[in-house]
Amino acid sequence: MSRTLVAFLLLGVSCSLADPLYRNEEEPALPQLDGRIVGGQDTNITFYPHQISMRYNGNHRCGGAIYEKNKVISAAHCVNTLSGPGNLTIVAGSSNIWFPNTPQQVLAVREFIIHPKYRTLNNDYDAAILILDGEFEYNDAVQPITLAKERPEHNTTVTVTGWGTTSEGGTISDVLQEVEVNVVENSECKSAYSIMLTSRMLCAGVTGGGKDACQGDSGGPLIYKNELLGIVSWGTGCAREKYPGVYCSVPDVREWLLETIDSYADVGKIDFL
Ligand code: ARG
């Protein structure tokens, strides 16, 4: 048996983007609080104007965050199975993914760059940069976000947002959801995820479960003090007690993000020479 298979069997880790939204082979979820994201509430894009919906053939696939007018940060696992950026679009500016409540902006993707150390086995270094075809126009509902430099201490309250499923195996949400969770330090999170957890990952959850990101939230932002602290990455099920959500830790991939973004500073501008 392959190592990947063994790891997935052992830990029941659910993330593969091959089956993000519509399939769930896990045991049934524990009863959930009436919830969105899981356990969250409706919010408005103007409170999270960096949030985008990544679409593949027009279907919501993942979340992401605007970093610059033509650059989005998301998860490596959201794009690594694709042969190229064709059929991907980035939608910004609306809280509702089916019925835009504010003028939404849609841009195609010119290119994506996956973290060179990304590892499918455990989603280590689960970060990617998407270079867009064109630029977003900033307004109340469309804004960039800055990158957090440090991991906050254990138990710090942070916020995750997205249109992902509102329960394990459920359906995606039409309205953007927000939920507050608490940082679980890696030494403690190891008890849930053992060797799958690396120092590039950051865990967050709540005691007793019931609040978490879920399928379709991947690539989306975990926010602390209005900065991008994490990228929704993986977890065992969603919102289960003792299984926090796992995020790619932005402070730990920040240098790569900045360097790479820097090296793409002129992409798009060349057209105007
Ligand atoms: N990998 C999932 C996705 O593709 C996100 C999983 C997050 N899971 C969690 N329990 N926080 O959308």
Side-chain angles (χ1 to χ4, degrees):
M1 239 184 306
S2 78
R3 280 158 77 206
T4 312
L5 196 57
V6 171
F8 274 68
L9 287 178
L10 279 176
L11 290 156
V13 164
S14 129
C15 208
S16 149
L17 228 253
D19 63 63
L21 303 180
Y22 313 105
R23 221 175 76 212
N24 191 293
E25 291 170 356
E26 313 241 352
E27 66 215 51
L30 301 169
Q32 300 295 352
L33 303 174
D34 162 61
R36 312 299 188 87
I37 228 186
V38 179
Q41 57 185 24
D42 283 7
T43 187
N44 194 288
I45 194 79
T46 54
F47 296 124
Y48 303 96
H50 51 270
Q51 170 85 235
I52 59 86
S53 159
M54 184 197 301
R55 313 269 170 99
Y56 186 67
N57 290 327
N59 297 315
H60 174 84
R61 176 179 183 86
C62 271
I66 300 172
Y67 182 74
E68 281 174 3
K69 290 186 167 174
N70 71 335
K71 294 184 188 73
V72 158
I73 296 174
S74 186
H77 84 263
C78 289
V79 292
N80 93 101
T81 56
L82 305 177
S83 53
N87 305 322
L88 276 181
T89 50
I90 303 297
V91 182
S94 174
S95 312
N96 190 309
I97 52 173
W98 311 127
F99 306 103
N101 59 323
T102 35
Q104 61 176 22
Q105 300 181 36
V106 187
L107 292 174
V109 178
R110 180 183 292 242
E111 183 176 351
F112 56 75
I113 308 119
I114 292 173
H115 196 296
K117 292 184 177 162
Y118 172 62
R119 215 166 156 234
T120 49
L121 173 66
N122 60 346
N123 282 313
D124 204 5
Y125 295 94
D126 196 3
I129 300 162
L130 280 65
I131 314 285
L132 309 181
D133 229 337
E135 297 188 337
F136 284 126
E137 205 170 291
Y138 292 155
N139 58 35
D140 277 6
V142 182
Q143 287 290 322
I145 191 165
T146 55
L147 308 182
K149 292 193 183 73
E150 284 171 20
R151 300 169 71 106
E153 61 180 35
H154 182 68
N155 229 9
T156 302
T157 299
V158 292
T159 304
V160 59
T161 51
W163 290 276
T165 63
T166 53
S167 64
E168 239 185 273
T171 52
I172 62 170
S173 177
D174 50 350
V175 178
L176 183 64
Q177 299 295 305
E178 63 178 349
V179 72
E180 285 188 344
V181 285
N182 305 316
V183 171
V184 178
E185 65 181 19
N186 278 219
S187 56
E188 193 172 308
C189 197
K190 280 258 176 204
S191 65
Y193 296 122
S194 180
I195 54 165
M196 300 284 282
L197 197 75
T198 72
S199 60
R200 277 73 54 185
M201 298 174 189
L202 184 150
C203 303
V206 293
T207 314
K211 294 182 177 193
D212 196 4
C214 204
Q215 268 53 52
D217 290 318
S218 274
L222 181 73
I223 300 301
Y224 177 57
K225 288 189 173 162
N226 294 318
E227 291 191 315
L228 186 65
L229 171 65
I231 302 168
V232 177
S233 183
W234 60 279
T236 293
C238 300
R240 295 190 192 181
E241 190 179 5
K242 307 230 165 68
Y243 289 98
V246 186
Y247 299 79
C248 172
S249 168
V250 167
D252 294 284
V253 293
R254 191 173 180 272
E255 228 170 281
W256 175 77
L257 288 170
L258 294 177
E259 275 170 18
T260 311
I261 285 165
D262 216 45
S263 70
Y264 281 80
D266 293 330
V267 172
K269 304 235 160 75
I270 197 100
D271 294 359
F272 304 107
L273 288 181

